[in-house]
Amino acid sequence: MADRSRRESTGAATAPPAQQVWLDEVATAAARDAGSVPVQLLGDYLSMLADAAVSGRRPERAELDAVALLGRQAAEQGISAGRVVQLYLSAARRLWQDLPMVVRSGDSEVVRAAAAAVLHVIDDAVATLADGYAVARRDLVRREEALRRELVDDLLRGDSDLGSVVERAEPFGLDLARVHQVALAAPSRRLPDADAAISALEAVIFDRLGDRDVLVATKEHLLVVLAPAEPAAAGTTAPAGRDSELGELMHGELERLRHGRPWRVSVGRPHPGLYGIARSYEEAREALTMAGRLHVDKPVITAHDLLVYRVLLRDQPAIADLVSAVLSPLLQARIGVGPLLDTLEAYFATGGVATESAKRLHVSVRTVTYRLGRVKALTGYDAADPAHRFTLQAAVLGAKLLNWPAETRAGTT
């Protein structure tokens, strides 16, 4: 129980020794009822109830402020709100059952007045306790979110002090010695209610992967998920399909939300260690960017799927030179460069089958063969010739990545 001087300062009467022993016994029993909650969280609550029953006195503001502080302490100690409220209700029930004036009095009016006064104290105290608990929980959540954002930033940057990051990651259940992968989710417009999106992802991912080694946060208007990968999925020999499992899981859950649709999810490859997390993040970012440039219509993309584009962009001046050298003659075509590039892309995507290319483009086979002929005539490269195909296809892929010729023209005007 709280000390006598605090009761005197807040206006509560000092309990006689015998009454204090009785109140202590009630407090101990109530704490046991609530699952061994610390009895100190009752403070002067029982004395306030006893005073109300005897004299009808309502608690003063300072006394309720002390109860709010106890609510904050309960939240900071990680005690559930239900157990704290149970402590207060159980204490009130036990005190009322053994209250001497109630047990001995045969006057119903006395009992009724005492009950009303006690109920007022219970209402005021429990409401104040809950408010203090809620304020503390909000503060703890904000503090945890700030720490989580800082940790995510450091993990994704990859250049932080290893010892410090490992120490800060431990409370979040992250084992940085494991293999992890990073997935990013981009909404169609701006990021909607981030809390709702994070909660939705946490629920489904924790259910699938457990509550360890998973971190969900926001960064630069994207949702970021750091999750453990199967050991067999680490390295370049992993089956590509495994990388997309996390992405499919995320996309399926995010599409259930009212806002943000359609979502696009990109998944980096699994890599071990702290620096592997930063590498997986960069791969996921590149995949998201390249998917936009390439107008990929798949909602879930993986870095594994776009490895060839990363190779092409590794030396951007070289690929720009290739695009210019091979495809610039197409700018002279009367039908425009766009239809010719679309035809080449469809032709390569269908394995060099003109009939399938025509179906994709919704044109006749004759149109496809005519356009391929114009490409050969203008560039000197024959899409049907295996010796020419690689160069021509690499140039077409590079053109899509560089948004050629639109960005090239914009840059020169």
Side-chain angles (χ1 to χ4, degrees):
M1 300 293 290
D3 60 30
R4 181 176 302 176
S5 61
R6 196 175 83 181
R7 288 198 300 271
E8 292 174 347
S9 66
T10 57
T14 302
Q19 180 178 327
Q20 188 60 53
V21 171
W22 166 59
L23 294 179
D24 289 343
E25 291 175 349
V26 170
T28 301
R32 187 169 56 249
D33 293 342
S36 300
V37 172
V39 71
Q40 291 79 7
L41 293 177
L42 284 171
D44 291 328
Y45 173 62
L46 289 177
S47 296
M48 290 158 53
L49 291 175
D51 288 349
V54 173
S55 64
R57 187 180 70 84
R58 297 287 295 271
E60 297 180 1
R61 183 69 260 169
E63 292 176 290
L64 292 177
D65 289 343
V67 172
L69 181 60
L70 292 169
R72 292 182 61 92
Q73 292 175 4
E76 291 167 356
Q77 293 174 27
I79 301 170
S80 71
R83 291 174 63 195
V84 180
V85 171
Q86 183 183 1
L87 171 68
Y88 272 58
L89 295 181
S90 178
R93 175 179 57 81
R94 285 182 172 276
L95 179 137
W96 180 256
Q97 289 175 342
D98 297 332
L99 197 63
M101 66 166 293
V102 174
V103 173
R104 297 171 186 167
S105 177
D107 188 338
S108 60
E109 288 301 322
V110 172
V111 175
R112 187 178 297 110
V118 168
L119 287 175
H120 277 301
V121 173
I122 295 173
D123 285 344
D124 291 343
V126 172
T128 304
L129 179 81
D131 287 344
Y133 189 97
V135 169
R137 285 300 304 166
R138 285 195 295 269
D139 290 345
L140 289 172
V141 168
R142 281 194 291 266
R143 194 179 312 141
E144 181 177 295
E145 288 177 349
L147 292 174
R148 180 166 53 182
R149 281 195 298 269
E150 292 176 3
L151 176 61
V152 167
D153 286 341
D154 289 343
L155 288 172
L156 301 184
R157 195 169 61 245
D159 58 357
S160 301
D161 176 67
L162 178 60
S164 172
V165 173
V166 169
E167 182 179 349
R168 289 156 50 207
E170 195 277 333
F172 292 95
L174 293 180
D175 180 2
L176 298 182
R178 294 186 62 184
V179 175
H180 290 86
Q181 63 185 147
V182 175
L184 303 176
S188 56
R189 295 179 180 84
R190 66 180 183 84
L191 187 66
D193 183 356
D195 291 338
I198 288 175
S199 297
L201 286 181
E202 285 179 336
V204 68
I205 294 174
F206 287 176
D207 181 63
R208 182 71 60 87
L209 302 177
D211 61 355
R212 301 283 293 178
D213 279 317
V214 175
L215 200 61
V216 184
T218 59
K219 182 177 176 64
E220 298 176 356
H221 308 294
L222 299 173
L223 288 173
V224 181
V225 173
L226 172 64
E230 292 295 329
T236 57
T237 59
R242 289 186 180 175
D243 289 0
S244 64
E245 291 179 4
L246 176 61
E248 297 288 352
L249 185 66
M250 292 171 55
H251 185 264
E253 189 62 27
L254 289 172
E255 283 294 304
R256 301 174 187 270
L257 300 179
R258 294 181 56 189
H259 304 290
R261 297 190 301 262
W263 289 83
R264 169 167 282 172
V265 179
S266 65
V267 187
R269 292 179 297 166
H271 298 289
L274 174 62
Y275 302 112
I277 293 174
R279 182 179 176 187
S280 183
Y281 169 66
E282 288 302 322
E283 290 179 351
R285 278 178 58 91
E286 287 184 5
L288 204 58
T289 300
M290 285 190 284
R293 291 184 182 180
L294 299 171
H295 305 291
V296 176
D297 57 1
K298 293 170 54 180
V300 178
I301 51 178
T302 70
H304 195 285
D305 295 336
L306 302 178
L307 278 177
V308 64
Y309 298 101
R310 295 186 69 233
V311 172
L312 290 174
L313 283 178
R314 190 65 58 85
D315 189 348
Q316 189 163 328
I319 193 63
D321 187 40
L322 175 67
V323 170
S324 177
V326 175
L327 301 180
S328 288
L330 299 182
L331 296 171
Q332 304 171 24
R334 286 186 302 170
I335 63 173
V337 68
L340 297 180
L341 290 177
D342 291 341
T343 301
L344 286 171
E345 183 183 356
Y347 187 71
F348 294 134
T350 58
V353 180
T355 53
E356 290 298 321
S357 303
K359 290 179 182 179
R360 287 198 177 195
L361 296 169
H362 304 290
V363 298
S364 66
V365 176
R366 176 177 293 184
T367 299
V368 171
T369 56
Y370 168 76
R371 291 178 180 177
L372 294 176
R374 292 302 298 152
V375 170
K376 180 180 179 181
L378 290 169
T379 66
Y381 288 93
D382 183 358
D385 186 340
H388 295 174
R389 181 176 300 177
F390 178 79
T391 300
L392 197 54
Q393 187 171 6
V396 171
L397 293 176
K400 291 184 66 177
L401 285 173
L402 300 176
N403 196 23
W404 182 91
E407 290 194 6
T408 302
R409 287 178 174 175
T412 58
T413 56

